[in-house]
Amino acid sequence: MADELNSGPGYWAVLIGINFYETKPLKGCVRDVENVKQYLETGSIPVLVEVFTATADSSTPRRPLEKQESLPTFENIVSCIKRITAIGKPRDCVYIHFSGHGTKLLSSFDLVLFDELHGIRYLPGLELAQLLKQMVEKGLLVTVVLDCCFSGGVVRSHDSDMARIRAIGYDPTIAAAYPSKLYGEIDRLGNYPDLRNASILPEWLVNPQGYTILTACGPH
């Protein structure tokens, strides 16, 4: 991939769609990112597209259909974003699209990725923000689309609401299995001088200049 990126046209896309969840599986996420991929590849501007999907299928109830290198795991996603950051040039455009489950604990918003050992693994919002910050500091122009619950900092009014929606509740055992590399579990829920509060995602955006985040989740 490195040779392709070095000779790339300066337009990148990282598309993540997850239908496969052992609890509360989804149906349209893989199709959504496949449609986005088709749209980007048939446009007039060439785009280097990386796709990570987890397709649910009754023939493989314990594992998605995709090969390891195409699965939306923490390692694959973070590695891809860091690789683009390392190879990308100032003014390159990067589009990141996530369609799947999100989860929330207090002010912490996390993406719910696939994990072969535990079934799921979180990409903490603060870690994602740091990855975006590194892109922006290099001069990349980034657009992020988050099509998942809690992506707009949504707070449900009653615990009973969780029974009526498809969101996955926050599991502290998953967080404990993969502690954040940037912040301790307690620290990352606190306040930081380099964070800017915003109504879209409180205490989450890190110097949000140079990138745009579009969220698909409203208050209801």
Side-chain angles (χ1 to χ4, degrees):
M1 179 180 174
D3 292 339
E4 294 178 4
L5 293 178
N6 279 320
S7 61
Y11 292 89
W12 320 78
V14 181
L15 310 180
I16 307 158
I18 308 177
N19 288 349
F20 185 95
Y21 292 98
E22 292 185 7
T23 62
K24 298 186 178 180
L26 299 172
K27 293 184 178 180
C29 300
V30 173
R31 182 188 63 241
D32 287 349
V33 299
E34 288 175 345
N35 288 340
V36 173
K37 178 178 183 291
Q38 181 181 9
Y39 174 80
L40 293 174
E41 292 183 337
T42 57
S44 59
I45 299 175
V47 182
L48 289 172
V49 182
E50 288 288 320
V51 180
F52 301 94
T53 56
T55 302
D57 187 89
S58 58
S59 64
T60 57
R62 299 293 298 176
R63 192 183 187 281
L65 293 175
E66 289 80 1
K67 296 180 179 179
Q68 175 63 36
E69 62 270 18
S70 298
L71 288 172
T73 63
F74 181 93
E75 292 80 6
N76 285 347
I77 301 304
V78 172
S79 175
C80 180
I81 293 175
K82 287 185 175 181
R83 193 160 56 240
I84 292 174
T85 303
I87 298 174
K89 305 177 297 297
R91 309 299 296 178
D92 280 2
C93 295
V94 181
Y95 177 79
I96 300 174
H97 188 116
F98 176 84
S99 183
H101 275 305
T103 191
K104 182 177 176 66
L105 174 65
L106 301 178
S107 62
S108 171
F109 160 71
D110 299 348
L111 301 181
V112 184
L113 304 179
F114 172 74
D115 183 77
E116 291 191 290
L117 182 59
H118 297 280
I120 61 173
R121 179 174 176 178
Y122 302 139
L123 173 54
L126 288 174
E127 290 199 31
L128 176 59
Q130 281 287 348
L131 293 171
L132 300 180
K133 182 171 181 285
Q134 291 166 10
M135 284 186 161
V136 171
E137 288 175 343
K138 192 169 182 181
L140 307 182
L141 305 177
V142 186
T143 300
V144 181
V145 171
L146 299 176
D147 183 8
C148 56
C149 285
F150 306 113
S151 58
V154 177
V155 178
R156 304 288 175 174
S157 58
H158 300 287
D159 291 341
S160 60
D161 289 341
M162 291 298 295
R164 300 197 301 271
I165 62 175
R166 291 182 296 173
I168 291 181
Y170 189 91
D171 186 347
T173 63
I174 297 297
Y178 299 107
S180 172
K181 295 181 180 180
L182 292 179
Y183 305 102
E185 191 64 23
I186 296 176
D187 290 342
R188 76 184 183 90
L189 298 178
N191 295 314
Y192 291 86
D194 61 337
L195 300 184
R196 180 189 300 175
N197 287 335
S199 60
I200 183 172
L201 292 171
E203 298 182 356
W204 188 82
L205 298 178
V206 180
N207 299 328
Q209 297 180 356
Y211 63 86
T212 299
I213 297 179
L214 307 176
T215 64
C217 189
H220 303 293

